[in-house]
Amino acid sequence: TPDIYHDKNVLSCYTYRLFTSPHQLTVSFHRSKDQLRMESTDSGSLPSSPINPSFNPGVEFKKQTVNVQVKQSTVFHGDPEDTYRVRSNPKGWVLLINNEQFESETFSTRLGSEVDERNLEALFIQLGFKVLVRRNLKKDEMRRELNSFSDLDDHLASDMAVVCICSHGLDNGKIITSDCKEIDVREDIMRKFNNEECKNLKGKPKMFIFQACRGSEKDFGIIENYIEPMRSLKATGVDAIQFKKVPTWEDMLIVYSTIPGYVAIRNHFTGAWFVQSFCKVLMEKSHNTDVRRMLDGVAWELREFQGEEGHVESCTYESLNFYKQLFFNPGLSE
């Protein structure tokens, strides 16, 4: 069977290594835009097939995961007064939902998403988490899994939780389920983990990661002069306060693979650009760096990618009363 190797730095050149007895032949060729497609968006707006059916159907394309090797901490980082405590073993639980297959042709198969799944699972295991992987969930199934994860008794003995969803997405905060229905990021997902709905995670950091489009617009960037390769106000009142209330929505960090209105790009063989960047930065920096500083680094790493059509991608994150620093301190627990 022929082997194909893709040089990610040369977008239009592929090398075939043909193993035939008694000789081995290596052939390089340049493909046209219509012959091969290596990328799709997570809005389902680009064709899912990377190979034109009339073009060399005997070629086997190899998937390539990130070689995840998380650096281990030697000391706990952060001022205890200003840092979330993440020292339990396991540090917490991760719910990883990967919707790859969809019942309607409106939403294409998310080629490369299995690579994202393996990358993220390996990353969080090495960071010290237990990971629950669920695939191709319909709307009712997805809601049940989120409810079950929110009610998990093990959260009580853990210091944080992560919900990661990889799927097609639309604008206005909608995620597509495998039966091509919509669920709402805020109401159907995040609400399940606020202080009212999830008592076992009250006061603990909760991280949400969404690898999905948030619209259909593409960012083609701008031309930059070449220099070098880049890699609350305090309320007062007259009446005495008889009891203290805290916000319902607290300690939440929400990470999006792209900015509102734009697509997220996924390579069919190496996975989503954002997931690659996320895993690379966290495995190299988690041993001594606060999570928000790392997310800034993910944005910088993502800046290096440029697609077949010249488009680029920008990730973003937001916090809901995420009061403190967060260090994962991989390899350490108490």
Side-chain angles (χ1 to χ4, degrees):
T1 302
D3 256 347
I4 184 167
Y5 297 83
H6 172 215
D7 182 353
K8 65 181 180 180
N9 296 315
V10 184
L11 293 178
S12 60
C13 181
Y14 295 83
T15 300
Y16 281 81
R17 192 165 295 165
L18 305 179
F19 296 93
T20 56
S21 179
H23 302 292
Q24 174 178 309
L25 176 64
T26 300
V27 180
S28 294
F29 73 95
H30 290 267
R31 57 105 175 102
S32 73
K33 186 176 182 181
D34 295 330
Q35 288 174 323
L36 287 176
R37 183 176 290 281
M38 303 290 288
E39 295 160 356
S40 293
T41 70
D42 273 332
S43 64
S45 61
L46 292 182
S48 63
S49 174
I51 307 174
N52 185 306
S54 65
F55 181 73
N56 213 347
V59 174
E60 177 185 354
F61 287 81
K62 300 248 178 173
K63 307 285 185 180
Q64 182 179 350
T65 59
V66 174
N67 182 22
V68 176
Q69 295 184 0
V70 173
K71 293 182 181 180
Q72 302 295 288
S73 297
T74 56
V75 297
F76 288 108
H77 290 274
D79 178 357
E81 296 296 320
D82 188 41
T83 303
Y84 285 108
R85 178 183 173 85
V86 183
R87 301 189 178 192
S88 60
N89 184 18
K91 298 187 184 304
W93 288 80
V94 177
L95 176 61
L96 172 55
I97 297 175
N98 177 27
N99 290 334
E100 180 182 15
Q101 305 285 342
F102 299 85
E103 294 180 357
S104 169
E105 293 183 357
T106 302
F107 297 100
S108 61
T109 299
R110 299 181 59 253
L111 297 175
S113 67
E114 73 276 21
V115 178
D116 296 334
E117 179 187 309
R118 292 199 297 269
N119 286 339
L120 289 165
E121 183 178 17
L123 175 71
F124 281 109
I125 288 174
Q126 291 186 40
L127 286 173
F129 291 82
K130 294 288 188 181
V131 182
L132 303 173
V133 178
R134 301 290 184 264
R135 302 181 184 92
N136 299 321
L137 299 184
K138 297 179 181 180
K139 183 172 183 176
D140 289 343
E141 295 170 335
M142 201 158 168
R143 281 178 162 172
R144 282 197 300 270
E145 287 292 341
L146 289 163
N147 287 333
S148 177
F149 189 66
S150 173
D151 293 337
L152 193 68
D153 290 335
D154 292 305
H155 289 319
L156 189 60
S158 301
D159 285 339
M160 69 171 294
V162 179
V163 175
C164 183
I165 297 180
C166 304
S167 190
H168 284 305
L170 305 174
D171 56 5
N172 298 320
K174 304 299 182 183
I175 299 291
I176 302 301
T177 58
S178 68
D179 54 350
C180 301
K181 297 179 181 178
E182 299 177 6
I183 64 170
D184 187 80
V185 165
R186 187 66 57 105
E187 294 302 316
D188 295 320
I189 302 173
M190 291 171 53
R191 178 175 291 276
K192 302 299 180 184
F193 301 91
N194 67 22
N195 289 339
E196 184 178 23
E197 299 274 348
C198 187
K199 307 285 191 207
N200 287 345
L201 287 172
K202 184 177 179 296
K204 301 176 182 180
K206 297 159 282 280
M207 191 173 183
F208 301 86
I209 303 167
F210 298 102
Q211 169 58 49
C213 284
R214 303 176 73 189
S216 58
E217 190 169 350
K218 297 177 184 177
D219 182 359
F220 290 94
I222 61 171
I223 302 298
E224 186 175 48
N225 291 333
Y226 180 85
I227 300 177
E228 60 182 4
M230 291 189 312
R231 290 281 317 155
S232 100
L233 291 178
K234 184 176 180 181
T236 59
V238 177
D239 295 334
I241 298 176
Q242 312 235 340
F243 54 88
K244 180 183 178 182
K245 287 189 174 182
V246 297
T248 302
W249 300 76
E250 280 190 310
D251 309 300
M252 292 183 172
L253 187 64
I254 308 99
V255 186
Y256 297 97
S257 59
T258 189
I259 58 177
Y262 282 79
V263 299
I265 309 300
R266 174 177 24 83
N267 184 283
H268 295 168
F269 307 103
T270 58
W273 295 355
F274 167 77
V275 173
Q276 294 178 60
S277 302
F278 183 84
C279 290
K280 180 177 179 182
V281 171
L282 266 68
M283 77 180 192
E284 293 176 350
K285 301 292 186 181
S286 288
H287 67 292
N288 64 2
T289 307
D290 166 63
V291 66
R292 278 182 279 199
R293 187 68 191 94
M294 287 192 289
L295 292 175
D296 293 335
V298 172
W300 184 256
E301 181 72 24
L302 185 58
R303 190 175 185 265
E304 298 297 313
F305 285 82
Q306 181 171 318
E308 296 175 323
E309 299 177 347
H311 42 255
V312 293
E313 185 174 337
S314 301
C315 61
T316 185
Y317 65 91
E318 63 184 64
S319 61
L320 287 175
N321 294 324
F322 201 79
Y323 303 114
K324 302 178 182 181
Q325 294 186 91
L326 173 61
F327 293 88
F328 289 112
N329 295 315
L332 298 180
S333 63
E334 288 183 345

